[in-house]
Amino acid sequence: MPVSAGADAGARVVGAVGPVVEPRVRLRLGAGDVPLVAIGQRVAAGDPVAERRRDGAVAWARLGGSAAPEPGTAVEAGVPVAGRGRRAVRFAGSGRVLYTTPSGLLRVAVGRHAEQVGTPTAGVVESVGPAAIVIRADGIGLPGTLTAGEATVGRLVVAVRRPDDELPVAAVDVGAAGAILVAGARIDVEALTRARAMGVRGVIVGGVVGRDLRSFAASEARQRAALHTSPPFALLVLDGFGKRPIPPGAWAALVAAEGRDVGISADPSFALLDVAAAVAAEPRDRVRVAAGEGLGRIGRLLEVVGRRRLPAGVLGPVARVALEAGGPGQPPEERLVPLADLERTGP
Amino acid sequence: MTARPIAFFTIDHGTATTAAAIIGQLDGRFRLLAAGAQPAGISADGLLAGLVAEVAAIEPDVLPDPTTWSDWRRLESATHRPPRALVAAASEAGLGAAEAAVAAAGWRVVGRISPERTDALAATERCLDPDVELLVVATADPVPAEERDALADLVALVAAALGRRDDEPTLVLAGGAAGVMQRFPAARVVLGPAPLPHPHAGADPLRDLLVALDQALIAGAGGPAAGFPDGRRALVTATASLAAVLDRRVELVDVGATAGLRVLVGPGGVRGAIVSAEGALTPPDVIEDDRRADGVLQWSTIRADAASMRDRVRNLAIAPWRDAAGDGARLRLAAARAALARLDAAWRLPDDAEDRPASYGTDLLVASGGAFAVAPAPAVALALVDTLRRPGGMTLAHDHARVLAPIGGLADEADRRRLLADLLGDVLAPLGSAIVAAGLHAGRHRGTVRITSEDGADMRIELVPGGVQLVDLPPGVAATAELTTRDGLWLGVRAHHFALPVAGGLGGLVVDTREIPLRLPERPERRRDLLDAWQRPLWAGADT
């Protein structure tokens, strides 16, 4: 084996998390929810796969000597779940049996309202459990850092010119209804709220400010609690918190998929694309600055030059990188960058 | 003909970073020749080749044929993300005791069920969660009369929920709950002892069982951590070997990306050991919970708005190896302090023999883990005395090359001791010594500390109440520190005069007369200024 530290400098740099082919997507179920699909069933993006019982609560009834139904048994409003005739045990809401207490009390999870849960991707149902449905998606999944909101699907619209742009509030209009917007390096809570109100199905960004995420989550909770809920909406964050340009590999894949239907899943966080062809191979020495000064800039790794003294008196390995021109005021330049702050643009 | 030298690698596969070192034999002794670290997820080969190249460029004769490095032996250890556990009890009091045992065994507690806090819907959903790998139902033994009905109801709920799951999470029935085992499939159930009523880090049969289940889960799970000794358990073993080699009380704290470890070994063996997800560099739920991020930021000296600092803490959780210079280094040490404080909050030792109160003191305190990798040694020393506060003197060291875990993974105690005896001076970077003294009064006669070193130096400084003083004491220098006060000091015992042996280090001698525990101002600006005033003199290059 060669002994040179610089034989393959790219091997010393962490690679981008690459797309996952045929990713498994999990759709969580509540204790009262009812699956509508079976294992092995093929589903198209947007197809209903479960019925969700909203405003869930625990209802109970005495069995009075009747045989206890199995845990998980579906309960229909007004339909006897145990016993017969005058001893029949019925509930006003629909849901599922939780369990029977030792004293003969039947406890059931019921919801006052039902709504359908759609799949964010086409694929095959791989498992149907009491707490989740797992779908093996067609195509690829671009991994994200986190998803807020619910799994969704829509037509992909790249709404910014560059991966480090920000989407202004005014750029979100009713023409984006039903779309999933690629919104660049950051989106603020005003733009998110407006997108939701305009019927946008989802937003994909490089970063988000934590405070905006909290506000959005609270707004989503209010939406879900309303009597008439709106279609599912999701925010997929690809890289982290704060303003963070969309990583180049993900940007290229999203640009290539523009105009096609794209899903967002929450568990795990994926942008679900229906084609794998969009992901081009990247040279091993192509890197991006993933943290610190010059965040988001792209360049070519020239060499690992060893340990150097860094700001705050810290010692660490650094690399010489030929950075491409960035935005305004960022000409091409060669710079020493801490090795830990670099990421290969390819896996 | 001269025999070729021998060399081998140590590799500690962490959840965020991989640390590697070359150990070679010089003049019949094992020595650390080079060490480095890189983000996890990259093949270690690039790092190993780089280390070999570094040594070969400076001192090629100490290595075997460098081109054969890929065939050299490797001592490896690996840590893993704590698996998820759900804890259920028939009362809130029982829940607390059970949770303490589960959390100290290295499991991440993701849900708690008790009649007082959880309704049947939420409890069922938690039991059905496919990410939960262990469920513990615990009561005292025998079951207290007032908990019997609640336990019967709880067991019915758990049995109904688990019966619906196709996967097979392990169910531990601890204490009196073991009496309901017939409600569950035998293959899924493990019976355990009752939780200790007053949980501590000493011997605890339930915690030992949960540790064994954790280790079995890792062994069966595959993945990058499988096949190597568990790094955290290996650190406990290495600490015990180190204590035997030194014939001293040794304490070790390890702060990693996904969990922390604290272990204290005395003459009679391991006095206490906990592995806790709460001891991770960033708390487990920091992404969702602003308060957890604020808990880290209360140790921060960086001036910036709270929202952007919380986001920096979250980015630290997402990619702990990034942004390690400048303010990133200061934030990392703040996070390490917060993690140490959380580890300290869970640290209770059982009483010593004859009901004497437990002794928390140690002769040597070792810091390990990626959290301390980039901060200057004196700042690390201060972080340790800021958070693990107890009166007395101790030597501070840093497992800078993360070699202790791979050595602890060796099966043979004689091998461990031999390696440690040879490598002590190399693998434990001397941070210095600390004297933490409480009860110093302000006034005209505050007292002095006199340091007499073996190289003939003699220094006398006046003690400053409520302050941190740094005395220059170089690495390798042994000295005696004599503290003299008119009103007396508390160093575990109260006296007017103390004489303590101290060792020099990169951080010198830290004399700390602040309160125990440390009380910080409520107002963020004042707290930040105070922390900065303490830390700045110990952080060379802080302004660059």
Side-chain angles (χ1 to χ4, degrees):
Chain A
M1 292 282 272
V3 187
S4 166
D8 177 12
R12 299 286 305 275
V13 177
V14 71
V17 182
V20 179
V21 179
E22 294 190 353
R24 267 67 173 173
V25 171
R26 200 157 58 168
L27 298 164
R28 295 274 188 162
L29 300 177
D33 298 350
V34 180
L36 303 174
V37 288
I39 293 173
Q41 185 176 331
R42 170 155 277 285
V43 290
D47 280 358
V49 292
E51 195 166 78
R52 175 163 298 155
R53 309 295 178 191
R54 290 181 46 218
D55 306 323
V58 179
W60 57 271
R62 290 217 168 271
L63 282 172
S66 304
E70 286 293 310
T73 303
V75 176
E76 291 298 327
V79 177
V81 68
R84 290 180 182 178
R86 292 178 57 197
R87 288 175 173 254
V89 175
R90 299 182 176 86
F91 293 91
S94 299
R96 299 189 127 196
V97 171
L98 294 178
Y99 72 109
T100 305
T101 70
S103 59
L105 213 59
L106 178 65
R107 290 203 161 118
V108 173
V110 291
R112 279 188 293 162
H113 310 287
E115 65 183 15
Q116 291 194 324
V117 178
T119 166
T121 177
V124 176
V125 176
E126 208 165 70
S127 73
V128 179
I133 295 170
V134 177
I135 295 171
R136 191 179 73 242
D138 298 342
I140 60 168
L142 302 177
T145 301
L146 65 98
T147 299
E150 288 188 273
T152 185
V153 63
R155 173 180 40 88
L156 191 73
V157 174
V158 179
V160 289
R161 288 192 307 139
R162 295 164 47 95
D164 55 352
D165 282 347
E166 288 185 55
L167 184 67
V169 179
V172 182
D173 59 34
V174 74
I180 286 182
L181 299 180
V182 177
R186 181 171 62 184
I187 189 165
D188 62 26
V189 71
E190 286 80 15
L192 264 179
T193 309
R194 185 175 167 89
R196 183 73 152 112
M198 294 292 173
V200 171
R201 291 299 181 89
V203 172
I204 299 174
V205 283
V208 65
V209 173
R211 187 177 47 198
D212 290 342
L213 190 64
R214 299 285 158 271
S215 303
F216 169 69
S219 164
E220 273 297 291
R222 287 193 296 273
Q223 289 274 354
R224 306 313 306 168
L227 193 59
H228 300 288
T229 58
S230 44
F233 179 86
L235 169 69
L236 174 66
V237 182
L238 290 172
D239 200 37
F241 287 85
K243 181 179 178 181
R244 303 186 68 83
I246 294 176
W251 173 258
L254 291 169
V255 168
E258 184 165 21
R260 307 176 73 97
D261 275 353
V262 165
I264 295 176
S265 63
D267 186 13
S269 290
F270 277 128
L272 299 157
L273 315 186
D274 64 352
V275 281
V279 185
E282 290 275 343
R284 275 180 75 78
D285 60 354
R286 188 170 159 79
V287 293
R288 71 168 181 129
V289 180
E293 197 180 340
L295 172 67
R297 292 189 69 178
I298 310 292
R300 191 161 67 85
L301 178 63
L302 301 174
E303 62 171 338
V304 177
V305 296
R307 290 188 180 90
R308 292 286 187 278
R309 190 162 292 282
L310 302 168
V314 168
L315 278 175
V318 300
R320 198 160 56 87
V321 182
L323 293 171
E324 298 169 1
Q330 290 183 325
E333 60 179 321
E334 254 185 48
R335 191 190 281 182
L336 292 179
V337 181
L339 206 54
D341 289 350
L342 291 174
E343 182 180 274
R344 285 201 314 272
T345 54
Chain B
M1 185 175 152
T2 311
R4 294 292 302 182
I6 59 170
F8 61 89
F9 296 110
T10 60
I11 307 175
D12 180 30
H13 302 272
T15 48
T17 58
T18 301
I22 305 177
I23 309 288
Q25 211 170 25
L26 296 177
D27 302 327
R29 276 187 62 204
F30 286 107
R31 301 296 303 267
L32 175 69
L33 302 180
Q38 66 179 20
I42 311 174
S43 163
D45 284 352
L47 176 62
L48 301 183
L51 295 176
V52 173
E54 272 179 35
V55 178
I58 299 166
E59 199 73 57
D61 294 342
V62 303
L63 292 178
D65 177 1
T67 60
T68 64
W69 67 265
S70 58
D71 300 326
W72 297 358
R73 276 200 62 196
R74 302 177 183 200
L75 285 187
E76 298 181 71
S77 60
T79 48
H80 60 280
R81 288 187 173 276
R84 292 159 179 253
L86 180 63
V87 186
S91 72
E92 198 65 17
L95 189 68
E99 184 182 347
V102 177
W107 293 82
R108 180 180 167 192
V109 178
V110 293
R112 299 150 190 87
I113 299 173
S114 76
E116 290 98 323
R117 70 161 69 196
T118 328
D119 72 18
L121 183 56
T124 300
E125 288 182 344
R126 281 172 198 169
C127 291
L128 291 175
D129 183 348
D131 289 338
V132 167
E133 291 159 292
L134 174 81
L135 201 153
V136 178
V137 179
T139 64
D141 192 11
V143 182
E146 66 274 17
E147 291 184 11
R148 281 181 197 148
D149 289 347
L151 177 65
D153 196 83
L154 178 66
V155 166
L157 182 151
V158 171
L162 292 191
R164 293 172 63 191
R165 282 181 66 164
D166 293 332
D167 56 347
E168 299 214 335
T170 302
L171 173 68
V172 172
L173 297 173
V180 297
M181 66 173 291
Q182 73 284 353
R183 297 290 310 267
F184 302 94
R188 183 179 273 185
V189 175
V190 175
L191 302 183
L196 298 175
H198 303 291
H200 56 63
D204 177 351
L206 177 57
R207 193 178 64 236
D208 291 348
L209 171 70
L210 294 164
V211 167
L213 291 172
D214 168 49
Q215 298 294 293
L217 191 72
I218 305 165
F228 301 126
D230 175 56
R232 297 189 188 101
R233 301 298 154 199
L235 274 176
V236 174
T237 307
T239 307
S241 301
L242 187 59
V245 168
L246 295 171
D247 193 21
R248 291 281 186 276
R249 281 172 75 98
V250 178
E251 183 171 357
L252 180 140
V253 283
D254 168 67
V255 176
T258 56
L261 158 74
R262 189 170 185 182
V263 55
L264 174 66
V265 182
V270 175
R271 298 281 302 125
I274 56 171
V275 174
S276 167
E278 277 291 308
L281 181 63
T282 49
D285 39 5
V286 72
I287 300 288
E288 301 85 22
D289 192 342
D290 280 352
R291 288 168 303 180
R292 302 310 303 269
D294 290 344
V296 171
L297 294 174
Q298 72 165 355
W299 291 101
S300 169
T301 58
I302 304 167
R303 293 171 189 283
D305 69 283
S308 64
M309 287 306 298
R310 285 183 194 129
D311 285 350
R312 288 192 74 164
V313 173
R314 293 189 176 104
N315 284 333
L316 182 62
I318 292 167
W321 60 89
R322 285 184 190 158
D323 200 12
D327 276 350
R330 282 182 275 266
L331 181 64
R332 185 170 313 233
L333 195 59
R337 273 190 170 88
L340 289 170
R342 291 192 300 273
L343 271 177
D344 198 49
W347 187 242
R348 299 282 175 278
L349 294 176
D351 286 346
D352 287 339
E354 298 167 1
D355 289 339
R356 280 178 293 146
S359 166
Y360 286 80
T362 185
D363 299 313
L364 171 65
L365 174 60
V366 180
S368 186
F372 306 105
V374 294
V380 173
L382 182 65
L384 294 172
V385 297
D386 276 353
T387 49
L388 311 178
R389 296 187 68 69
R390 64 270 170 127
M394 61 189 158
T395 304
L396 307 169
H398 182 205
D399 172 23
H400 65 104
R402 284 163 57 189
V403 164
L404 289 182
I407 290 177
L410 281 169
D412 189 84
E413 172 68 4
D415 289 343
R416 291 195 295 269
R417 289 190 188 185
R418 180 174 173 223
L419 264 181
L420 285 171
D422 280 0
L423 288 168
L424 266 181
D426 294 340
V427 301
L428 292 183
L431 298 177
S433 294
I435 297 174
V436 181
L440 181 66
H441 298 301
R444 282 181 59 198
H445 303 285
R446 293 180 298 200
T448 58
V449 56
R450 180 185 178 194
I451 294 106
T452 319
S453 65
E454 61 183 7
D455 60 2
D458 191 344
M459 292 172 277
R460 187 189 295 268
I461 58 170
E462 192 157 332
L463 290 169
V464 176
V468 182
Q469 292 166 279
L470 191 64
V471 181
D472 185 26
L473 200 60
V477 174
T480 302
E482 293 176 76
L483 290 91
T484 308
T485 59
R486 201 172 74 172
D487 298 331
L489 270 178
W490 176 259
L491 269 85
V493 292
R494 189 161 196 93
H496 297 277
H497 183 87
F498 292 94
L500 302 167
V502 289
L506 300 164
L509 169 65
V510 177
V511 181
D512 182 344
T513 54
R514 298 172 296 172
E515 296 160 305
I516 302 173
L518 201 58
R519 275 189 291 186
L520 296 170
E522 287 292 320
R523 287 181 53 193
E525 306 81 34
R526 289 192 56 201
R527 188 173 59 234
R528 203 164 38 224
D529 289 348
L530 188 59
L531 287 169
D532 195 37
W534 287 331
Q535 181 170 278
R536 185 168 289 271
L538 286 85
W539 193 306
D543 297 320
T544 59

Short mmCIF file of all heavy atoms in Angstrom, two decimals, chain A residues 175-216:
data_model
loop_
_atom_site.label_atom_id
_atom_site.label_comp_id
_atom_site.label_asym_id
_atom_site.label_seq_id
_atom_site.Cartn_x
_atom_site.Cartn_y
_atom_site.Cartn_z
N GLY A 175 -49.86 30.94 -8.22
CA GLY A 175 -49.42 30.08 -9.33
C GLY A 175 -48.66 28.87 -8.85
O GLY A 175 -48.49 27.89 -9.59
N ALA A 176 -48.18 28.91 -7.63
CA ALA A 176 -47.40 27.78 -7.09
C ALA A 176 -48.29 26.76 -6.38
O ALA A 176 -47.77 25.81 -5.78
CB ALA A 176 -46.34 28.31 -6.13
N ALA A 177 -49.59 26.96 -6.44
CA ALA A 177 -50.50 26.02 -5.76
C ALA A 177 -50.25 24.60 -6.26
O ALA A 177 -50.12 24.37 -7.46
CB ALA A 177 -51.95 26.42 -6.02
N GLY A 178 -50.16 23.68 -5.34
CA GLY A 178 -49.95 22.27 -5.69
C GLY A 178 -48.50 21.92 -5.95
O GLY A 178 -48.17 20.76 -6.23
N ALA A 179 -47.61 22.92 -5.85
CA ALA A 179 -46.20 22.67 -6.17
C ALA A 179 -45.38 22.40 -4.91
O ALA A 179 -45.77 22.71 -3.80
CB ALA A 179 -45.62 23.87 -6.90
N ILE A 180 -44.21 21.80 -5.15
CA ILE A 180 -43.16 21.76 -4.12
C ILE A 180 -42.07 22.69 -4.59
O ILE A 180 -41.55 22.54 -5.70
CB ILE A 180 -42.65 20.33 -3.91
CG1 ILE A 180 -43.72 19.53 -3.15
CG2 ILE A 180 -41.33 20.31 -3.17
CD1 ILE A 180 -43.37 18.12 -2.82
N LEU A 181 -41.78 23.69 -3.78
CA LEU A 181 -40.85 24.74 -4.18
C LEU A 181 -39.44 24.45 -3.67
O LEU A 181 -39.28 24.10 -2.50
CB LEU A 181 -41.29 26.10 -3.61
CG LEU A 181 -42.66 26.63 -4.03
CD1 LEU A 181 -42.92 27.98 -3.36
CD2 LEU A 181 -42.73 26.78 -5.55
N VAL A 182 -38.47 24.61 -4.55
CA VAL A 182 -37.07 24.60 -4.11
C VAL A 182 -36.71 26.05 -3.82
O VAL A 182 -36.73 26.90 -4.72
CB VAL A 182 -36.15 24.01 -5.19
CG1 VAL A 182 -34.69 24.07 -4.74
CG2 VAL A 182 -36.56 22.58 -5.49
N ALA A 183 -36.44 26.35 -2.53
CA ALA A 183 -36.40 27.75 -2.09
C ALA A 183 -35.00 28.22 -1.71
O ALA A 183 -34.85 29.24 -1.05
CB ALA A 183 -37.36 27.93 -0.91
N GLY A 184 -33.96 27.51 -2.12
CA GLY A 184 -32.60 28.00 -1.91
C GLY A 184 -32.06 27.75 -0.52
O GLY A 184 -32.32 26.72 0.09
N ALA A 185 -31.28 28.74 -0.04
CA ALA A 185 -30.49 28.53 1.17
C ALA A 185 -31.28 28.68 2.46
O ALA A 185 -30.85 28.23 3.51
CB ALA A 185 -29.32 29.49 1.19
N ARG A 186 -32.43 29.38 2.38
CA ARG A 186 -33.19 29.61 3.63
C ARG A 186 -34.57 30.10 3.26
O ARG A 186 -34.76 30.75 2.23
CB ARG A 186 -32.47 30.65 4.49
CG ARG A 186 -33.16 30.95 5.80
CD ARG A 186 -32.29 31.80 6.70
NE ARG A 186 -32.00 33.11 6.11
CZ ARG A 186 -31.19 34.00 6.67
NH1 ARG A 186 -30.59 33.74 7.80
NH2 ARG A 186 -30.97 35.16 6.08
N ILE A 187 -35.53 29.83 4.11
CA ILE A 187 -36.86 30.42 3.93
C ILE A 187 -37.31 30.90 5.31
O ILE A 187 -37.07 30.23 6.32
CB ILE A 187 -37.86 29.41 3.32
CG1 ILE A 187 -39.15 30.12 2.94
CG2 ILE A 187 -38.10 28.23 4.24
CD1 ILE A 187 -40.04 29.30 2.01
N ASP A 188 -37.91 32.08 5.35
CA ASP A 188 -38.36 32.58 6.65
C ASP A 188 -39.82 32.21 6.88
O ASP A 188 -40.50 31.70 5.98
CB ASP A 188 -38.11 34.09 6.80
CG ASP A 188 -38.89 34.90 5.79
OD1 ASP A 188 -39.94 34.42 5.32
OD2 ASP A 188 -38.45 36.00 5.45
N VAL A 189 -40.27 32.44 8.09
CA VAL A 189 -41.59 31.95 8.47
C VAL A 189 -42.70 32.66 7.70
O VAL A 189 -43.75 32.05 7.41
CB VAL A 189 -41.77 32.03 10.00
CG1 VAL A 189 -41.93 33.47 10.47
CG2 VAL A 189 -42.95 31.19 10.46
N GLU A 190 -42.47 33.93 7.31
CA GLU A 190 -43.50 34.64 6.53
C GLU A 190 -43.69 33.96 5.17
O GLU A 190 -44.82 33.75 4.72
CB GLU A 190 -43.11 36.11 6.32
CG GLU A 190 -43.26 36.99 7.55
CD GLU A 190 -42.09 36.85 8.51
OE1 GLU A 190 -41.06 36.29 8.09
OE2 GLU A 190 -42.22 37.25 9.67
N ALA A 191 -42.58 33.66 4.52
CA ALA A 191 -42.67 33.01 3.20
C ALA A 191 -43.28 31.62 3.33
O ALA A 191 -44.08 31.18 2.49
CB ALA A 191 -41.28 32.93 2.57
N LEU A 192 -42.96 30.92 4.42
CA LEU A 192 -43.52 29.59 4.64
C LEU A 192 -45.03 29.67 4.83
O LEU A 192 -45.80 28.90 4.24
CB LEU A 192 -42.91 28.97 5.90
CG LEU A 192 -41.72 28.03 5.75
CD1 LEU A 192 -41.27 27.56 7.12
CD2 LEU A 192 -42.07 26.86 4.87
N THR A 193 -45.45 30.62 5.65
CA THR A 193 -46.88 30.77 5.93
C THR A 193 -47.64 31.14 4.67
O THR A 193 -48.72 30.62 4.38
CB THR A 193 -47.08 31.86 7.02
OG1 THR A 193 -46.22 31.56 8.12
CG2 THR A 193 -48.51 31.91 7.49
N ARG A 194 -47.03 32.04 3.88
CA ARG A 194 -47.67 32.44 2.63
C ARG A 194 -47.76 31.25 1.67
O ARG A 194 -48.79 31.05 1.01
CB ARG A 194 -46.87 33.59 2.00
CG ARG A 194 -47.51 34.19 0.76
CD ARG A 194 -46.69 35.37 0.29
NE ARG A 194 -47.05 35.81 -1.03
CZ ARG A 194 -47.99 36.70 -1.29
NH1 ARG A 194 -48.64 37.26 -0.29
NH2 ARG A 194 -48.27 37.05 -2.53
N ALA A 195 -46.68 30.48 1.61
CA ALA A 195 -46.68 29.31 0.72
C ALA A 195 -47.80 28.36 1.11
O ALA A 195 -48.54 27.86 0.25
CB ALA A 195 -45.33 28.61 0.80
N ARG A 196 -47.95 28.14 2.39
CA ARG A 196 -49.02 27.27 2.90
C ARG A 196 -50.39 27.80 2.49
O ARG A 196 -51.25 27.04 2.02
CB ARG A 196 -48.90 27.22 4.44
CG ARG A 196 -49.87 26.31 5.14
CD ARG A 196 -49.43 24.90 4.88
NE ARG A 196 -49.81 23.97 5.90
CZ ARG A 196 -50.71 23.00 5.71
NH1 ARG A 196 -51.34 22.92 4.57
NH2 ARG A 196 -50.95 22.13 6.66
N ALA A 197 -50.54 29.10 2.66
CA ALA A 197 -51.84 29.72 2.35
C ALA A 197 -52.15 29.69 0.86
O ALA A 197 -53.31 29.64 0.45
CB ALA A 197 -51.85 31.16 2.86
N MET A 198 -51.12 29.71 0.03
CA MET A 198 -51.31 29.72 -1.43
C MET A 198 -51.51 28.31 -1.99
O MET A 198 -51.60 28.14 -3.21
CB MET A 198 -50.09 30.37 -2.12
CG MET A 198 -49.92 31.83 -1.80
SD MET A 198 -51.24 32.78 -2.55
CE MET A 198 -50.92 34.39 -1.85
N GLY A 199 -51.52 27.32 -1.15
CA GLY A 199 -51.77 25.96 -1.62
C GLY A 199 -50.52 25.22 -2.05
O GLY A 199 -50.61 24.16 -2.68
N VAL A 200 -49.35 25.78 -1.72
CA VAL A 200 -48.10 25.05 -2.00
C VAL A 200 -48.08 23.79 -1.14
O VAL A 200 -48.56 23.79 -0.01
CB VAL A 200 -46.88 25.96 -1.67
CG1 VAL A 200 -45.58 25.19 -1.72
CG2 VAL A 200 -46.84 27.14 -2.65
N ARG A 201 -47.55 22.71 -1.70
CA ARG A 201 -47.56 21.43 -0.96
C ARG A 201 -46.30 21.20 -0.13
O ARG A 201 -46.31 20.39 0.80
CB ARG A 201 -47.71 20.27 -1.95
CG ARG A 201 -49.08 20.21 -2.60
CD ARG A 201 -50.16 20.00 -1.54
NE ARG A 201 -51.47 19.92 -2.13
CZ ARG A 201 -52.04 18.79 -2.55
NH1 ARG A 201 -51.36 17.66 -2.47
NH2 ARG A 201 -53.23 18.80 -3.07
N GLY A 202 -45.24 21.87 -0.51
CA GLY A 202 -44.02 21.65 0.27
C GLY A 202 -42.92 22.59 -0.17
O GLY A 202 -43.00 23.22 -1.23
N VAL A 203 -41.90 22.69 0.67
CA VAL A 203 -40.76 23.55 0.38
C VAL A 203 -39.49 22.77 0.69
O VAL A 203 -39.42 22.09 1.72
CB VAL A 203 -40.82 24.84 1.23
CG1 VAL A 203 -39.54 25.66 1.08
CG2 VAL A 203 -42.04 25.68 0.86
N ILE A 204 -38.50 22.88 -0.20
CA ILE A 204 -37.20 22.24 0.03
C ILE A 204 -36.16 23.35 0.14
O ILE A 204 -36.05 24.19 -0.77
CB ILE A 204 -36.84 21.28 -1.13
CG1 ILE A 204 -37.89 20.17 -1.23
CG2 ILE A 204 -35.45 20.68 -0.91
CD1 ILE A 204 -37.71 19.25 -2.43
N VAL A 205 -35.41 23.36 1.22
CA VAL A 205 -34.41 24.41 1.45
C VAL A 205 -33.10 23.79 1.95
O VAL A 205 -33.08 22.66 2.44
CB VAL A 205 -34.86 25.45 2.50
CG1 VAL A 205 -35.85 26.41 1.94
CG2 VAL A 205 -35.36 24.78 3.75
N GLY A 206 -32.04 24.60 1.85
CA GLY A 206 -30.76 24.16 2.41
C GLY A 206 -30.75 24.28 3.92
O GLY A 206 -30.27 23.40 4.62
N GLY A 207 -31.29 25.40 4.43
CA GLY A 207 -31.27 25.62 5.88
C GLY A 207 -32.52 26.33 6.35
O GLY A 207 -33.30 26.86 5.55
N VAL A 208 -32.69 26.32 7.63
CA VAL A 208 -33.83 27.03 8.22
C VAL A 208 -33.39 27.55 9.59
O VAL A 208 -32.57 26.92 10.27
CB VAL A 208 -35.06 26.10 8.35
CG1 VAL A 208 -34.80 24.96 9.34
CG2 VAL A 208 -36.30 26.86 8.78
N VAL A 209 -33.89 28.71 9.94
CA VAL A 209 -33.61 29.24 11.28
C VAL A 209 -34.51 28.51 12.28
O VAL A 209 -35.71 28.37 12.03
CB VAL A 209 -33.85 30.75 11.30
CG1 VAL A 209 -33.72 31.31 12.71
CG2 VAL A 209 -32.86 31.45 10.37
N GLY A 210 -33.93 28.05 13.36
CA GLY A 210 -34.68 27.25 14.33
C GLY A 210 -35.94 27.96 14.82
O GLY A 210 -36.99 27.35 14.98
N ARG A 211 -35.80 29.28 15.01
CA ARG A 211 -36.95 30.05 15.50
C ARG A 211 -38.10 30.00 14.48
O ARG A 211 -39.27 29.86 14.85
CB ARG A 211 -36.50 31.49 15.72
CG ARG A 211 -37.51 32.39 16.38
CD ARG A 211 -36.90 33.76 16.60
NE ARG A 211 -36.20 34.24 15.40
CZ ARG A 211 -35.30 35.22 15.39
NH1 ARG A 211 -34.95 35.81 16.50
NH2 ARG A 211 -34.74 35.60 14.27
N ASP A 212 -37.77 30.09 13.19
CA ASP A 212 -38.80 30.00 12.15
C ASP A 212 -39.42 28.61 12.12
O ASP A 212 -40.63 28.46 11.89
CB ASP A 212 -38.20 30.34 10.78
CG ASP A 212 -37.83 31.81 10.65
OD1 ASP A 212 -38.33 32.61 11.46
OD2 ASP A 212 -37.04 32.15 9.76
N LEU A 213 -38.58 27.62 12.36
CA LEU A 213 -39.09 26.25 12.36
C LEU A 213 -40.10 26.05 13.48
O LEU A 213 -41.14 25.40 13.30
CB LEU A 213 -37.91 25.28 12.53
CG LEU A 213 -38.21 23.81 12.32
CD1 LEU A 213 -38.63 23.52 10.90
CD2 LEU A 213 -36.99 22.98 12.68
N ARG A 214 -39.80 26.63 14.66
CA ARG A 214 -40.74 26.51 15.79
C ARG A 214 -42.08 27.18 15.43
O ARG A 214 -43.14 26.65 15.70
CB ARG A 214 -40.21 27.21 17.04
CG ARG A 214 -38.94 26.70 17.59
CD ARG A 214 -39.10 25.38 18.34
NE ARG A 214 -37.80 24.78 18.36
CZ ARG A 214 -37.33 23.96 17.41
NH1 ARG A 214 -38.09 23.60 16.42
NH2 ARG A 214 -36.13 23.48 17.47
N SER A 215 -41.99 28.38 14.86
CA SER A 215 -43.22 29.10 14.51
C SER A 215 -44.03 28.30 13.50
O SER A 215 -45.25 28.19 13.59
CB SER A 215 -42.89 30.46 13.90
OG SER A 215 -42.11 31.21 14.79
N PHE A 216 -43.32 27.72 12.53
CA PHE A 216 -44.00 26.93 11.51
C PHE A 216 -44.66 25.70 12.13
O PHE A 216 -45.81 25.36 11.82
CB PHE A 216 -43.00 26.51 10.42
CG PHE A 216 -43.53 25.49 9.48
CD1 PHE A 216 -44.53 25.81 8.57
CD2 PHE A 216 -43.04 24.19 9.49
CE1 PHE A 216 -45.03 24.85 7.69
CE2 PHE A 216 -43.54 23.23 8.64
CZ PHE A 216 -44.53 23.56 7.73
#
